Amino acid sequence: GQQLNQSPQSMFIQEGEDVSMNCTSSSIFNTWLWYKQDPGEGPVLLIALYKAGELTSNGRLTAQFGITRKDSFLNISASIPSDVGIYFCAGQLKGAQKLVFGQGTRLTINP
Amino acid sequence: DAGVIQSPRHEVTEMGQEVTLRCKPISGHNSLFWYRQTMMRGLELLIYFNNNVPIDDSGMPEDRFSAKMPNASFSTLKIQPSEPRDSAVYFCASSLDGWREKLFFGSGTQLSVL
């Protein structure tokens, strides 16, 4: 079953706005990853987080590994049209050799 | 650099037919993963190879699905016989070594079983 709750499921914003999405779980994770998927393509890694509390930026993107190790968020500042796509969180459960994916957040930007 | 290469990009077949999906991982990567993506279930891991050996196949739906990795540069996912509920996008991904390393995904195979 699904062990990651990703929200929101979809977002409709104006160009230039900031975006925030998150993933939560009742389980503890060793690793959090954020991917973006464009139509007709596979997910592409945006940011990888390996330690609780870690805050990492990649250009306009910032992600954090929650202190409790049960959540993570992704922020996008000053959104642009090419940010459109589906964003997935993924995590490696403590003690498991497996990556679990969230259901995705579909981002739509009105120019 | 070439990424993960999957073929075909699209496959349309009739129920009962055999389907073979192919994947070439990034050169030098020791781990290979097959995922299936559907609207209802999202991204699901089917099977994971490390150094050409299947490590976790608990996600393989049933006996109709099989995967092989005869060498470090090639893997196949076979469905026989195919059913309409197998329709999905199938992704192959590779990493340098296991789950802690970053996964690089191919462009996927869009499978439609009629």
Side-chain angles (χ1 to χ4, degrees), chain B residues 32-97:
Chain B
L32 183 140
F33 310 82
W34 282 101
Y35 279 87
R36 177 171 65 177
Q37 186 177 39
T38 60
M39 287 293 291
M40 291 297 294
R41 300 175 68 89
L43 273 162
E44 300 174 283
L45 176 69
L46 299 178
I47 189 168
Y48 153 45
F49 290 89
N50 200 46
N51 293 319
N52 313 338
V53 175
I55 303 299
D56 181 356
D57 64 355
S58 60
M60 294 287 264
E62 50 199 90
D63 292 345
R64 296 185 298 107
F65 284 68
S66 63
K68 293 182 180 179
M69 192 164 186
N71 57 62
S73 59
F74 183 65
S75 176
T76 59
L77 179 66
K78 187 174 292 188
I79 308 172
Q80 166 63 20
S82 58
E83 296 181 4
R85 62 193 168 117
D86 300 330
S87 298
V89 181
Y90 290 81
F91 286 104
C92 176
S94 71
S95 73
L96 276 171
D97 190 12

Coordinates of all heavy atoms in Angstrom, one line a residue, chain B residues 32-97:
Chain B
L32 N 19.9 -1.9 -11.5 CA 18.8 -1.6 -12.5 C 17.5 -1.9 -11.9 O 17.3 -2.9 -11.2 CB 19.0 -2.5 -13.8 CG 18.1 -2.3 -14.9 CD1 18.8 -2.3 -16.3 CD2 16.9 -3.3 -14.9
F33 N 16.5 -1.1 -12.2 CA 15.2 -1.1 -11.6 C 14.1 -1.1 -12.7 O 14.3 -0.3 -13.7 CB 15.0 0.1 -10.7 CG 16.0 0.3 -9.7 CD1 17.2 1.0 -10.0 CD2 15.9 -0.1 -8.4 CE1 18.2 1.2 -9.1 CE2 16.9 0.1 -7.4 CZ 18.1 0.7 -7.8
W34 N 13.1 -1.9 -12.6 CA 11.9 -1.8 -13.5 C 10.8 -1.2 -12.6 O 10.4 -1.8 -11.6 CB 11.5 -3.1 -14.1 CG 12.4 -3.5 -15.2 CD1 13.4 -4.4 -15.2 CD2 12.3 -3.1 -16.6 NE1 14.0 -4.6 -16.5 CE2 13.3 -3.8 -17.3 CE3 11.4 -2.2 -17.2 CZ2 13.4 -3.6 -18.7 CZ3 11.6 -2.1 -18.6 CH2 12.6 -2.7 -19.3
Y35 N 10.1 -0.2 -13.1 CA 9.0 0.4 -12.5 C 7.8 0.4 -13.4 O 7.9 0.4 -14.6 CB 9.2 1.9 -12.1 CG 10.0 2.1 -10.8 CD1 11.4 2.1 -10.8 CD2 9.3 2.3 -9.6 CE1 12.1 2.3 -9.6 CE2 10.0 2.5 -8.4 CZ 11.4 2.5 -8.4 OH 12.1 2.7 -7.3
R36 N 6.6 0.4 -12.9 CA 5.4 0.6 -13.6 C 4.6 1.8 -13.1 O 4.5 2.0 -11.9 CB 4.5 -0.7 -13.5 CG 3.2 -0.6 -14.2 CD 2.5 -1.9 -14.3 NE 2.0 -2.4 -12.9 CZ 1.3 -3.5 -12.7 NH1 1.0 -4.3 -13.7 NH2 1.0 -3.8 -11.5
Q37 N 4.1 2.6 -14.0 CA 3.4 3.8 -13.6 C 2.0 3.8 -14.2 O 1.8 3.6 -15.4 CB 4.1 5.1 -14.1 CG 3.4 6.4 -13.6 CD 4.2 7.6 -14.0 OE1 4.7 7.7 -15.1 NE2 4.3 8.6 -13.1
T38 N 1.0 3.9 -13.3 CA -0.4 4.0 -13.7 C -1.0 5.2 -12.9 O -0.5 5.6 -11.9 CB -1.2 2.7 -13.4 OG1 -1.2 2.5 -12.0 CG2 -0.7 1.5 -14.1
M39 N -2.2 5.7 -13.4 CA -2.9 6.8 -12.7 C -3.3 6.3 -11.3 O -3.2 7.1 -10.4 CB -4.1 7.2 -13.5 CG -3.7 8.0 -14.8 SD -3.0 9.6 -14.4 CE -4.4 10.4 -13.7
M40 N -3.8 5.1 -11.3 CA -4.4 4.6 -10.0 C -3.3 4.3 -8.9 O -3.5 4.6 -7.8 CB -5.2 3.3 -10.2 CG -6.5 3.6 -11.0 SD -7.6 4.6 -10.1 CE -8.0 3.6 -8.7
R41 N -2.2 3.7 -9.3 CA -1.2 3.2 -8.4 C 0.1 4.0 -8.4 O 1.0 3.7 -7.5 CB -1.0 1.7 -8.6 CG -2.3 0.9 -8.5 CD -2.0 -0.5 -8.9 NE -1.1 -1.2 -7.9 CZ -1.5 -1.8 -6.8 NH1 -2.8 -1.8 -6.5 NH2 -0.7 -2.4 -6.0
G42 N 0.2 5.0 -9.3 CA 1.5 5.7 -9.3 C 2.7 4.9 -9.8 O 2.5 4.0 -10.6
L43 N 3.8 5.2 -9.2 CA 5.1 4.5 -9.6 C 5.3 3.3 -8.6 O 5.4 3.5 -7.4 CB 6.3 5.4 -9.5 CG 6.6 6.2 -10.8 CD1 7.5 7.4 -10.4 CD2 7.2 5.4 -11.8
E44 N 5.3 2.1 -9.2 CA 5.5 0.9 -8.4 C 6.8 0.2 -8.9 O 7.0 0.0 -10.1 CB 4.3 -0.1 -8.6 CG 3.0 0.5 -8.2 CD 1.9 -0.6 -8.6 OE1 1.6 -0.7 -9.8 OE2 1.4 -1.3 -7.7
L45 N 7.6 -0.2 -7.9 CA 8.7 -1.0 -8.2 C 8.3 -2.5 -8.6 O 7.6 -3.1 -7.8 CB 9.7 -1.1 -7.1 CG 11.0 -1.9 -7.3 CD1 11.9 -1.3 -8.3 CD2 11.7 -2.1 -5.9
L46 N 8.8 -2.9 -9.7 CA 8.5 -4.3 -10.1 C 9.6 -5.2 -9.7 O 9.4 -6.3 -9.0 CB 8.3 -4.4 -11.6 CG 7.2 -3.6 -12.2 CD1 7.1 -3.8 -13.7 CD2 5.8 -4.0 -11.6
I47 N 10.9 -4.9 -10.0 CA 12.0 -5.7 -9.7 C 13.3 -4.9 -9.7 O 13.4 -3.8 -10.4 CB 12.2 -6.9 -10.7 CG1 13.2 -7.9 -10.3 CG2 12.4 -6.3 -12.2 CD1 13.2 -9.2 -11.1
Y48 N 14.3 -5.3 -9.0 CA 15.5 -4.6 -8.8 C 16.7 -5.6 -8.9 O 16.7 -6.6 -8.3 CB 15.5 -3.9 -7.4 CG 16.8 -3.7 -6.7 CD1 17.9 -3.1 -7.3 CD2 16.9 -3.9 -5.3 CE1 19.0 -2.8 -6.6 CE2 18.0 -3.6 -4.6 CZ 19.1 -3.1 -5.3 OH 20.3 -2.8 -4.6
F49 N 17.6 -5.2 -9.8 CA 18.8 -6.1 -10.0 C 20.0 -5.3 -9.4 O 20.1 -4.1 -9.6 CB 19.1 -6.3 -11.5 CG 18.1 -7.2 -12.2 CD1 16.9 -6.6 -12.7 CD2 18.3 -8.5 -12.3 CE1 16.0 -7.4 -13.4 CE2 17.4 -9.3 -13.0 CZ 16.3 -8.8 -13.5
N50 N 21.0 -6.1 -8.9 CA 22.3 -5.5 -8.5 C 23.3 -6.4 -9.1 O 23.3 -7.7 -8.8 CB 22.4 -5.3 -7.0 CG 23.5 -4.3 -6.7 OD1 23.5 -3.3 -7.2 ND2 24.3 -4.7 -5.7
N51 N 24.3 -5.9 -9.8 CA 25.3 -6.7 -10.5 C 24.6 -7.9 -11.3 O 25.1 -9.0 -11.1 CB 26.3 -7.2 -9.5 CG 27.1 -6.1 -8.9 OD1 27.5 -5.2 -9.6 ND2 27.4 -6.1 -7.6
N52 N 23.6 -7.6 -12.0 CA 22.9 -8.5 -12.8 C 22.0 -9.6 -12.1 O 21.4 -10.4 -12.7 CB 23.8 -9.3 -13.8 CG 24.8 -8.3 -14.5 OD1 24.5 -7.1 -14.6 ND2 25.9 -8.9 -15.0
V53 N 22.0 -9.5 -10.8 CA 21.3 -10.5 -10.0 C 20.0 -9.9 -9.4 O 20.1 -8.8 -8.9 CB 22.2 -11.0 -8.8 CG1 21.4 -12.0 -7.9 CG2 23.5 -11.7 -9.3
P54 N 18.9 -10.6 -9.6 CA 17.7 -10.0 -9.0 C 17.7 -10.0 -7.5 O 17.9 -11.1 -6.9 CB 16.6 -11.0 -9.6 CG 17.3 -12.2 -9.9 CD 18.7 -11.9 -10.3
I55 N 17.5 -8.9 -6.9 CA 17.6 -8.7 -5.5 C 16.2 -8.7 -4.8 O 16.0 -9.3 -3.8 CB 18.3 -7.4 -5.1 CG1 19.7 -7.4 -5.7 CG2 18.4 -7.3 -3.6 CD1 20.6 -8.5 -5.3
D56 N 15.3 -8.0 -5.5 CA 13.9 -7.9 -4.9 C 12.9 -8.0 -6.1 O 12.9 -7.0 -6.9 CB 13.8 -6.6 -4.2 CG 12.4 -6.4 -3.5 OD1 11.5 -7.3 -3.7 OD2 12.2 -5.4 -2.8
D57 N 12.2 -9.0 -6.2 CA 11.2 -9.1 -7.2 C 9.8 -9.2 -6.6 O 8.8 -9.7 -7.2 CB 11.4 -10.3 -8.1 CG 11.3 -11.7 -7.4 OD1 11.1 -11.6 -6.1 OD2 11.4 -12.7 -8.0
S58 N 9.6 -8.7 -5.4 CA 8.4 -8.8 -4.7 C 7.3 -8.0 -5.3 O 6.1 -8.2 -5.1 CB 8.5 -8.4 -3.2 OG 9.0 -7.1 -3.2
G59 N 7.7 -7.0 -6.2 CA 6.7 -6.2 -6.8 C 6.2 -6.7 -8.2 O 5.3 -6.2 -8.8
M60 N 6.7 -7.9 -8.6 CA 6.3 -8.4 -9.9 C 4.9 -9.0 -9.7 O 4.6 -9.8 -8.8 CB 7.2 -9.6 -10.3 CG 8.6 -9.1 -10.6 SD 8.7 -8.2 -12.2 CE 9.2 -9.6 -13.3
P61 N 3.9 -8.5 -10.5 CA 2.5 -8.8 -10.2 C 2.2 -10.3 -10.1 O 1.4 -10.7 -9.3 CB 1.8 -8.1 -11.4 CG 2.7 -7.1 -11.9 CD 4.1 -7.6 -11.7
E62 N 2.6 -11.0 -11.1 CA 2.3 -12.4 -11.1 C 3.2 -13.2 -12.0 O 4.1 -12.6 -12.6 CB 0.8 -12.6 -11.5 CG 0.4 -11.8 -12.7 CD -1.1 -11.6 -12.8 OE1 -1.6 -10.6 -12.3 OE2 -1.8 -12.4 -13.4
D63 N 2.9 -14.5 -12.2 CA 3.8 -15.3 -13.0 C 3.9 -14.9 -14.5 O 4.8 -15.3 -15.2 CB 3.4 -16.8 -12.9 CG 3.6 -17.3 -11.5 OD1 4.4 -16.7 -10.8 OD2 3.1 -18.4 -11.2
R64 N 2.9 -14.1 -14.9 CA 2.9 -13.6 -16.3 C 4.1 -12.7 -16.6 O 4.5 -12.5 -17.7 CB 1.6 -13.0 -16.6 CG 0.4 -13.9 -16.6 CD -0.8 -13.2 -17.1 NE -1.2 -12.0 -16.2 CZ -1.0 -10.7 -16.6 NH1 -0.5 -10.5 -17.8 NH2 -1.3 -9.7 -15.8
F65 N 4.6 -12.1 -15.5 CA 5.7 -11.2 -15.6 C 7.1 -11.9 -15.3 O 7.2 -12.6 -14.3 CB 5.5 -10.0 -14.6 CG 4.5 -9.0 -15.1 CD1 3.2 -9.3 -15.1 CD2 4.9 -7.7 -15.4 CE1 2.2 -8.4 -15.4 CE2 3.9 -6.8 -15.8 CZ 2.6 -7.1 -15.8
S66 N 8.1 -11.6 -16.1 CA 9.4 -12.1 -15.9 C 10.4 -11.0 -16.3 O 10.2 -10.3 -17.3 CB 9.6 -13.4 -16.5 OG 9.6 -13.3 -17.9
A67 N 11.5 -11.0 -15.6 CA 12.6 -10.0 -16.0 C 13.9 -10.8 -16.0 O 14.2 -11.6 -15.1 CB 12.6 -8.8 -15.1
K68 N 14.8 -10.4 -16.9 CA 16.1 -10.9 -17.0 C 17.2 -9.8 -17.1 O 16.9 -8.8 -17.7 CB 16.2 -11.9 -18.1 CG 15.4 -13.2 -18.0 CD 15.6 -14.1 -19.2 CE 14.7 -15.3 -19.0 NZ 14.9 -16.3 -20.2
M69 N 18.4 -10.1 -16.7 CA 19.5 -9.2 -16.9 C 20.7 -10.1 -17.3 O 21.5 -10.4 -16.4 CB 19.8 -8.3 -15.7 CG 20.7 -7.2 -16.1 SD 20.7 -5.9 -14.8 CE 21.7 -4.7 -15.6
P70 N 20.8 -10.5 -18.5 CA 21.9 -11.4 -18.9 C 23.3 -10.8 -18.8 O 24.2 -11.6 -18.7 CB 21.5 -11.7 -20.4 CG 20.7 -10.6 -20.9 CD 19.9 -10.1 -19.7
N71 N 23.4 -9.5 -18.9 CA 24.7 -8.8 -18.7 C 24.5 -7.4 -18.2 O 23.3 -7.0 -18.0 CB 25.5 -8.8 -20.1 CG 24.7 -8.2 -21.2 OD1 24.4 -7.0 -21.1 ND2 24.4 -8.9 -22.2
A72 N 25.6 -6.8 -17.9 CA 25.5 -5.5 -17.3 C 24.9 -4.4 -18.1 O 24.6 -3.3 -17.6 CB 26.9 -5.0 -16.8
S73 N 24.7 -4.6 -19.4 CA 24.3 -3.6 -20.3 C 22.9 -3.8 -20.9 O 22.5 -3.1 -21.8 CB 25.3 -3.3 -21.4 OG 25.5 -4.5 -22.2
F74 N 22.2 -4.8 -20.4 CA 20.9 -5.1 -21.0 C 20.0 -5.9 -20.1 O 20.4 -6.7 -19.3 CB 21.2 -6.0 -22.3 CG 19.9 -6.3 -23.1 CD1 19.2 -5.3 -23.7 CD2 19.5 -7.7 -23.2 CE1 18.1 -5.6 -24.5 CE2 18.3 -8.0 -23.9 CZ 17.7 -7.0 -24.6
S75 N 18.7 -5.4 -20.1 CA 17.7 -6.1 -19.3 C 16.4 -6.2 -20.1 O 16.1 -5.3 -21.0 CB 17.4 -5.4 -18.0 OG 16.4 -6.0 -17.3
T76 N 15.6 -7.2 -19.9 CA 14.3 -7.3 -20.5 C 13.2 -7.5 -19.4 O 13.5 -8.2 -18.4 CB 14.2 -8.5 -21.5 OG1 14.5 -9.7 -20.8 CG2 15.2 -8.2 -22.7
L77 N 12.0 -7.0 -19.7 CA 10.8 -7.3 -18.9 C 9.8 -7.9 -19.9 O 9.5 -7.3 -20.9 CB 10.3 -6.0 -18.3 CG 9.0 -6.2 -17.5 CD1 9.3 -7.0 -16.2 CD2 8.4 -4.8 -17.1
K78 N 9.4 -9.1 -19.6 CA 8.5 -9.8 -20.5 C 7.1 -10.1 -19.8 O 7.1 -10.4 -18.6 CB 9.1 -11.2 -20.9 CG 8.4 -11.9 -22.0 CD 9.2 -13.1 -22.4 CE 10.4 -12.7 -23.1 NZ 11.1 -13.9 -23.7
I79 N 6.1 -9.9 -20.6 CA 4.7 -10.2 -20.1 C 4.1 -11.2 -21.0 O 4.0 -11.0 -22.3 CB 3.9 -8.9 -20.1 CG1 4.5 -7.8 -19.3 CG2 2.5 -9.2 -19.4 CD1 3.8 -6.5 -19.4
Q80 N 3.8 -12.4 -20.5 CA 3.2 -13.4 -21.3 C 2.3 -14.3 -20.5 O 2.7 -14.9 -19.6 CB 4.4 -14.3 -21.9 CG 4.0 -15.6 -22.5 CD 3.0 -15.5 -23.7 OE1 3.0 -14.4 -24.3 NE2 2.3 -16.5 -24.0
P81 N 1.0 -14.3 -20.9 CA 0.3 -13.5 -21.9 C -0.1 -12.2 -21.3 O -0.4 -12.0 -20.1 CB -0.9 -14.4 -22.2 CG -1.2 -15.0 -20.8 CD 0.1 -15.3 -20.2
S82 N -0.2 -11.2 -22.2 CA -0.5 -9.8 -21.7 C -2.0 -9.7 -21.6 O -2.8 -10.5 -22.2 CB 0.0 -8.8 -22.7 OG -0.6 -9.1 -24.0
E83 N -2.4 -8.8 -20.7 CA -3.8 -8.6 -20.4 C -4.1 -7.0 -20.4 O -3.1 -6.3 -20.2 CB -4.3 -9.1 -19.0 CG -4.1 -10.6 -18.9 CD -4.6 -11.2 -17.6 OE1 -5.0 -10.4 -16.7 OE2 -4.5 -12.4 -17.3
P84 N -5.3 -6.6 -20.7 CA -5.6 -5.2 -20.7 C -5.2 -4.4 -19.4 O -4.7 -3.3 -19.5 CB -7.1 -5.1 -20.9 CG -7.4 -6.4 -21.7 CD -6.5 -7.4 -21.1
R85 N -5.3 -5.1 -18.3 CA -4.9 -4.4 -17.1 C -3.4 -4.2 -16.9 O -2.9 -3.5 -16.0 CB -5.4 -5.2 -15.8 CG -4.8 -6.6 -15.7 CD -5.6 -7.4 -14.7 NE -5.3 -8.8 -14.7 CZ -4.7 -9.4 -13.7 NH1 -4.4 -8.8 -12.6 NH2 -4.5 -10.8 -13.8
D86 N -2.6 -4.7 -17.9 CA -1.2 -4.5 -17.9 C -0.8 -3.2 -18.6 O 0.3 -2.7 -18.5 CB -0.4 -5.6 -18.6 CG -0.7 -7.0 -18.0 OD1 -0.9 -7.0 -16.7 OD2 -0.7 -8.0 -18.7
S87 N -1.8 -2.5 -19.1 CA -1.6 -1.2 -19.8 C -1.1 -0.2 -18.8 O -1.7 0.0 -17.8 CB -2.9 -0.7 -20.5 OG -3.3 -1.7 -21.5
A88 N 0.1 0.4 -19.1 CA 0.7 1.3 -18.2 C 2.0 1.8 -18.9 O 2.3 1.4 -20.1 CB 1.2 0.6 -16.9
V89 N 2.7 2.7 -18.2 CA 4.0 3.1 -18.7 C 5.0 2.4 -17.8 O 5.0 2.4 -16.6 CB 4.2 4.6 -18.6 CG1 5.6 5.0 -19.1 CG2 3.2 5.4 -19.3
Y90 N 6.0 1.7 -18.5 CA 7.0 0.9 -17.8 C 8.3 1.7 -17.9 O 8.8 2.0 -19.0 CB 7.1 -0.5 -18.4 CG 5.9 -1.3 -18.1 CD1 4.7 -1.2 -18.9 CD2 5.9 -2.2 -17.0 CE1 3.6 -1.9 -18.6 CE2 4.7 -3.0 -16.7 CZ 3.6 -2.8 -17.5 OH 2.5 -3.5 -17.2
F91 N 8.9 1.9 -16.8 CA 10.2 2.7 -16.7 C 11.3 1.7 -16.3 O 11.1 0.9 -15.4 CB 10.1 3.8 -15.8 CG 9.3 5.0 -16.3 CD1 8.0 5.2 -15.8 CD2 9.8 5.9 -17.2 CE1 7.2 6.3 -16.2 CE2 9.1 6.9 -17.7 CZ 7.8 7.1 -17.2
C92 N 12.4 1.9 -16.9 CA 13.6 1.3 -16.4 C 14.5 2.4 -15.8 O 14.5 3.6 -16.3 CB 14.4 0.7 -17.6 SG 15.9 -0.1 -17.2
A93 N 15.2 2.2 -14.7 CA 16.1 3.1 -14.1 C 17.4 2.4 -13.7 O 17.4 1.2 -13.5 CB 15.4 3.8 -12.9
S94 N 18.4 3.2 -13.6 CA 19.7 2.6 -13.2 C 20.4 3.5 -12.2 O 20.1 4.7 -12.1 CB 20.6 2.3 -14.3 OG 21.2 3.4 -14.9
S95 N 21.3 3.0 -11.4 CA 22.0 3.7 -10.4 C 23.4 3.1 -10.3 O 23.6 2.0 -10.7 CB 21.4 3.8 -9.0 OG 21.5 2.5 -8.4
L96 N 24.4 3.9 -9.8 CA 25.7 3.4 -9.6 C 25.8 2.1 -8.8 O 26.4 1.2 -9.2 CB 26.6 4.5 -9.0 CG 27.2 5.5 -9.9 CD1 27.9 6.6 -9.1 CD2 28.2 4.9 -10.9
D97 N 25.1 2.2 -7.6 CA 25.1 1.0 -6.8 C 24.0 1.1 -5.7 O 24.2 1.7 -4.7 CB 26.5 0.9 -6.1 CG 26.7 -0.4 -5.4 OD1 25.9 -1.3 -5.6 OD2 27.7 -0.5 -4.6

